[in-house]
Amino acid sequence: MSDPVVIPVPPEWAARAYVDDVKYKAMHASALADPEAFWGVQGQRLDWIKPYTKVKDTSFNEADFHIRWYEDGALNVSANCIDRHLETRGDSVAIIWEGDDPNNSSQITYRELHAEVCRFANVLKKRGVGKGDRVTIYMPMIPEAAYAMLACTRIGAIHSVVFGGFSPESLANRIKDCDSKTVITADEGVRGGKIIPLKANVDAALEHASGVTSVIVVTRTGAGVSMQDGRDVVYEDEAATVSAECAPEPMSAEDPLFILYTSGSTGKPKGVLHTTGGYLVYAAMTHQYIFDYKDGEIFWCTADVGWVTGHTYIVYGPLANGATTLMFEGVPNYPTVSRFWEVIDKHKVNTFYTAPTAIRALMRDGEEPVKRTSRASLRLIGTVGEPINPEAWLWYYRTVGDSRCPVVDTWWQTETGASLIGNLPGATAMKPGSATRPFFGIKPALVDDKGEFLDGAASGNLVLLDSWPGQMRTVYGDHKRFFETYFRTYPGMYFTGDGCRRDEDGYYWITGRVDDVLNVSGHRIGTAEIESALVADTKVAEAAVVGYPHDIKGQGIYCYVTLKAGVTPSDDLKRELIQTVRREIGPTASPDIIQWAPGLPKTRSGKIMRRILRKIAENDVSNLGDTSTLADPSVVDDLVANRAGA
Ligand code: WTA
């Protein structure tokens, strides 16, 4: 049965876009038929210090597992994002910064960006940072975050950006994992009118991460913060002592570019490693085609630079293409729920890219806060991060986009570097809720749990059969974990961890994670991480965490907690446990529901039956499936009877 809502490509889009349906099919077919030739041409969009002669050398098979793109070429990312634009658009705006306070904004031209990044690079050098060193960046959404990232790429250092909402504990783990000796932070961050004590968090983190010898503190609020002699310096003081010229370091295409930690189904977050050439080719190319970016347009991605979306579509993709990228310090509902739309009008934004969770939250306030703004500059709107429900899609299309802006739904992951499945605005008829079709050269497939291919209209596990330039290359420091996590389950294929349906038109509908990873407000969180934070509390004996459908967040966090003998359950204790999780991981991991569980449903071999816990959390208790393999089936009756909110 075909889905009733199909929104055709507006004719003016088929005419204005780089790619219409005929061209999409031709380009996709040629990329699949001869990847070497296709990606060889695409690589030319960058400036190479040493041209590549090899394009693709990849194998997903265990015996000769390797992923290399453009491997004998050399280039510098910051030179591609800045220097090469100076002649033609040195005085064009590279970054528009919109502060948390609506009266606070600024513009940075490409020429200014060049000077700022060179200065930051020279400060890093002065502090002893060199090629291959890891630099942890823990910053608010201010231009200096982008300068710091680009400065690392200029000298060949590997940045690891840690989202400013993460706790000192999480920050410490990420610093230690990649053994970074340098941390870049700000005195404080400002978000939604609230202060975030970033430097104090760094100080707390460094009590557990003693390898850090240098902390560079950018001034955001000017609040007095404690500075440790010899270790900490004020960025502006250092910047005043160095030159605004710094030659870009030639890097091999396969040299590491950045590490970004992301949650998996087991263990600690993994350091996803991306490399220089392939990542930038793919980031720039997807930014051009998916958003149909044309010179002079203003592009706004609302993500934080602490996530991959911010890396690829605030910094690297737009700047590689010479675009004007908007960086927003604030939140969608401060000072009012019209903020996004006011910023669009203020800066004449052409492309707006946000997450379904933000759309659903703003939808609750109705049309009026949107309709009181003009949004006349908008031409395209996009979404990313989680499946978008058709209702939210249609509201976004009609209310925000006035039924005239195509909605692009982009499916991708930290691991994939940039979007892999998504509609092209001039080529793909839209179906609300579907990420639609693969990008050029991407080979998705669906398999059942045994790894058998499912043809035609089907539902299964989403895998990718061949490499693309933006693919991650390894888990930092643990290449074995890279293979085991993504290539072991279905031999010869990259397993995404997502479930997916393909309809009779070949459109892909992502249904969400099939592993123990939650997607809460578009943020990835491993259930294992939350469980280990809960059991860190001395009153807790055991914990099991699952997701459940949540109107705004997409998924909420449902925790079953077994207390130690003699501990009395109470609402105060629930609050204490929520605080523990926030302290250990960060506010994004806050439990929504805690249910006291005298026991957890386990198999006779001691394995927790999460399937049952998920059903109880979803309040789908009429059909719990086979419970006869449980060691003690009566625990299920107790959990059902005492279901939170039941
Ligand atoms: C989910 C964010 C449906 C998916 C770029 C994926 C999506 C995980 C979409 C990666 C989308 C992302 N439709 N689901 N358009 N985009 N996802 O690493 O489950 O933070 O595996 O990367 O988000 O999250 P990550």
Side-chain angles (χ1 to χ4, degrees), residues 536-555:
D537 192 295
T538 53
K539 299 189 185 78
V540 173
E542 204 172 18
V545 174
V546 298
Y548 71 99
H550 186 288
D551 285 351
I552 305 289
K553 299 178 177 184
Q555 271 189 310

Side-chain angles (χ1 to χ4, degrees), residues 420-603:
L420 297 192
I421 302 181
N423 50 307
L424 299 181
T428 322
M430 297 170 274
K431 296 189 187 184
S434 171
T436 77
R437 304 190 291 194
F439 192 70
F440 309 121
I442 303 301
K443 272 173 118 165
L446 302 181
V447 294
D448 66 15
D449 287 340
K450 296 193 193 70
E452 300 293 335
F453 285 111
L454 301 164
D455 297 326
S459 285
N461 302 304
L462 180 64
V463 295
L464 297 156
L465 303 183
D466 200 357
S467 185
W468 62 97
Q471 183 169 25
M472 75 182 279
R473 300 297 195 264
T474 193
V475 170
Y476 187 79
D478 198 347
H479 198 56
K480 184 157 177 279
R481 190 172 174 199
F482 177 48
F483 184 85
E484 295 297 321
T485 306
Y486 302 101
F487 302 93
R488 171 67 69 203
T489 321
Y490 304 113
M493 311 172 202
Y494 169 87
F495 177 41
T496 63
D498 278 323
C500 182
R501 174 170 76 86
R502 186 175 46 221
D503 70 17
E504 55 293 331
D505 297 324
Y507 276 43
Y508 289 83
W509 300 71
I510 310 294
T511 49
R513 303 286 307 195
V514 293
D515 54 10
D516 290 319
V517 173
L518 305 183
N519 191 329
V520 180
S521 300
H523 300 156
R524 264 170 81 163
I525 305 164
T527 53
E529 288 171 69
I530 305 172
E531 288 161 6
S532 78
L534 288 166
V535 297
D537 192 295
T538 53
K539 299 189 185 78
V540 173
E542 204 172 18
V545 174
V546 298
Y548 71 99
H550 186 288
D551 285 351
I552 305 289
K553 299 178 177 184
Q555 271 189 310
I557 301 175
Y558 197 113
C559 309
Y560 297 90
V561 174
T562 308
L563 295 171
K564 285 192 181 152
V567 178
T568 316
S570 69
D571 286 347
D572 277 347
L573 184 52
K574 282 190 184 172
R575 278 188 285 273
E576 181 186 317
L577 293 180
I578 291 171
Q579 282 313 317
T580 305
V581 175
R582 293 171 72 97
R583 192 174 59 242
E584 295 279 323
I585 306 175
T588 49
S590 263
D592 293 285
I593 296 176
I594 293 178
Q595 176 174 356
W596 304 123
L600 293 170
K602 288 185 190 164
T603 59

Side-chain angles (χ1 to χ4, degrees), residues 102-240:
N103 299 313
N104 203 357
S105 60
S106 59
Q107 304 200 331
I108 297 103
T109 65
Y110 273 95
R111 208 175 307 289
E112 289 164 342
L113 182 64
H114 180 260
E116 296 284 2
V117 169
C118 286
R119 261 208 199 89
F120 217 123
N122 284 328
V123 169
L124 289 175
K125 279 188 178 168
K126 193 176 157 194
R127 302 291 298 163
V129 180
K131 188 168 176 170
D133 292 345
R134 278 79 55 217
V135 174
T136 299
I137 299 179
Y138 184 66
M139 288 279 268
M141 286 287 286
I142 56 177
E144 286 82 355
Y147 305 163
M149 291 164 76
L150 289 160
C152 287
T153 74
R154 196 148 188 102
I155 64 173
I158 306 166
H159 62 67
S160 161
V161 183
V162 177
F163 173 56
F166 276 122
S167 67
E169 188 71 27
S170 296
L171 174 61
N173 289 336
R174 286 160 173 77
I175 290 170
K176 282 188 290 192
D177 185 80
C178 67
D179 190 20
S180 106
K181 309 233 173 330
T182 306
V183 176
I184 302 171
T185 189
D187 47 6
E188 297 178 321
V190 186
R191 242 177 129 240
K194 299 195 189 82
I195 294 291
I196 301 145
L198 293 172
K199 174 60 167 61
N201 286 353
V202 170
D203 291 341
L206 296 195
E207 286 175 21
H208 312 283
S210 52
V212 171
T213 52
S214 176
V215 180
I216 299 169
V217 186
V218 173
T219 305
R220 166 62 184 92
T221 63
V225 291
S226 89
M227 298 290 280
Q228 185 175 311
D229 239 9
R231 189 192 70 182
D232 305 352
V233 293
V234 174
Y235 173 71
E236 294 76 15
D237 294 348
E238 296 293 301

Side-chain angles (χ1 to χ4, degrees), residues 355-358 360 383-388 409 519 521-522 552-555:
T357 186
R360 287 192 300 263
T383 144
V384 59
E386 46 174 322
I388 181 163
D409 183 355
N519 191 329
S521 300
I552 305 289
K553 299 178 177 184
Q555 271 189 310

